[in-house]
Structures are given as structure tokens and as C-alpha cells.
Amino acid sequence: MTAATTLPGRLAAFVQGMDAALGAGSDEPRTVEACAALLRELVAHDDWLPEACSHPHPVHYQQYLLHRDPAGRYSVVSFVWGPGQRTPIHDHCTWGVIGMLRGAEYSRAYARENGRLVPATTEERIEPGQATCVSPSIGDIHLVRNAYDDRVSISIHVYGTDIGKQSRHVYDAETGVAKSFVSGYANA
Ligand code: FE2
């Protein structure tokens, strides 16, 4: 699902907006700001996500590719949480904007100090219509979880590369030791 003409209307409008913002030759802060504004519009309405990209997995979260920019400048995924599911501590090694479509999620940021990982004292909660950002320049390491133990939550993520192919890291919470991983997609 990569040709804009085959995308649901709201997603096609988002992609058009992203292409216009990037076409202007934007730096990262401007790109992220434009992306967050467009993404807040996209997730303000929960009536467009293809059903095939909204299915939870019984054991772990799912990441479905919704759109991959042909020039590789960004990708859009749906991130589907089953009840109570969470990520390991991980990073992205690129900028990312996360918009909440359905349900809610918590993100706890981690800072690297002397090789150890120090968790933020509070979690950030995002609700439908809201967006938040990650990036190596503003803080890239976090642990994310479904805010609900009894229902599915779905967020829409945009990253500054083809995130399914990006080499990045998961971290051991105790030792801070990083391990490389490539996430792939559940549907591509
Ligand atoms: Fe993340």
C-alpha cells in the first residue's frame, strides 16, 4: 500500500501534506513540527484505518506499514496494542512522531548516564488526537505500553526513514546494554 491513489482519503491527504512539507527542503525541527500538525489532523478522526492494519496479536504488539515514501524520506505505520502489551526499552535512530488514534498509551523516556539507563520519573500519556515526538536530538529512548489492560489501543507513527528496515536498539533495563534489531512489518 504505497501509491497515494490507493490510500484512504485522510491518509492520502496526510501523505500529500508530508510530501509538500518535505518538498520545501525542510530541516528536522521543521519537518517534525509539520508532521506533528498533519498527524494530529489525521488522528482526530478514527474512521479511515484499513481493518487489515488494525488487528492485534495475542502475544506482542503489531506494526503495519501504511505508507512508505518512494524516496525513503519517511514511513507511516499503525502500531496496534493488544490489552496490556508493551515494548522493550528501545530507540529509533531517526525522528519519529506518534499520534494516538484509538485508546491511549504511556511512554516513559530513558536517559543514558554513565552507560546506565535512567528512567524518567513520570510517564507521558497520549490520548486520541494528540501527538508526541522522539529523535536522537530530543530524546530517543523509551518504553511504551498500552494504557489499557482490557482493550486494544492504536497509534499512528511516522518516522524519518523506512522504519521497518532501520537498524536500531533494544536495551536491557538493568545493565543498559544495547542490542541491535530491525523491526520489519507485520504486513510487508
Ligand atoms: Fe518507540
Side-chain angles (χ1 to χ4, degrees):
M1 198 183 293
T2 53
T5 50
T6 66
L7 297 175
R10 293 191 198 281
L11 183 55
F14 173 86
V15 166
Q16 274 179 4
M18 280 298 293
D19 288 347
L22 288 163
S26 205
D27 58 14
E28 183 186 294
R30 278 192 224 169
T31 299
V32 167
E33 190 183 329
C35 180
L38 290 162
L39 189 56
R40 278 192 292 271
E41 275 179 44
L42 181 63
V43 297
H45 304 274
D46 184 6
D47 60 2
W48 58 269
L49 183 64
E51 212 256 337
C53 298
S54 65
H55 293 154
H57 185 279
V59 176
H60 51 77
Y61 62 84
Q62 290 284 58
Q63 178 172 274
Y64 297 95
L65 178 65
L66 297 175
H67 176 73
R68 181 162 37 201
D69 174 48
R73 298 169 301 175
Y74 68 98
S75 55
V76 187
V77 304
S78 62
F79 208 93
V80 182
W81 302 99
Q85 290 177 352
R86 62 179 53 213
T87 67
I89 302 170
H90 66 278
D91 64 17
H92 315 86
C93 298
T94 184
W95 62 261
V97 185
I98 298 115
M100 204 73 217
L101 182 70
R102 193 178 304 173
E105 68 185 38
Y106 285 108
S107 170
R108 186 183 299 278
Y110 285 76
R112 266 225 178 270
E113 285 178 21
N114 303 321
R116 309 285 292 190
L117 285 175
V118 180
T121 52
T122 58
E123 290 178 296
E124 179 186 16
R125 179 180 172 118
I126 58 169
E127 302 281 352
Q130 296 178 337
T132 187
C133 308
V134 292
S135 161
S137 63
I138 60 170
D140 197 36
I141 305 176
H142 66 171
L143 184 157
V144 188
R145 63 186 179 94
N146 190 346
Y148 295 100
D149 290 330
D150 60 356
R151 61 169 156 136
V152 169
S153 291
I154 301 178
S155 47
I156 306 300
H157 300 196
V158 186
Y159 296 101
T161 187
D162 183 351
I163 194 65
K165 290 189 182 159
Q166 172 78 343
S167 179
R168 47 202 182 112
H169 310 91
V170 291
Y171 295 87
D172 184 281
E174 299 303 317
T175 64
V177 171
K179 195 173 111 184
S180 294
F181 84 106
V182 176
S183 67
Y185 299 106
N187 62 334

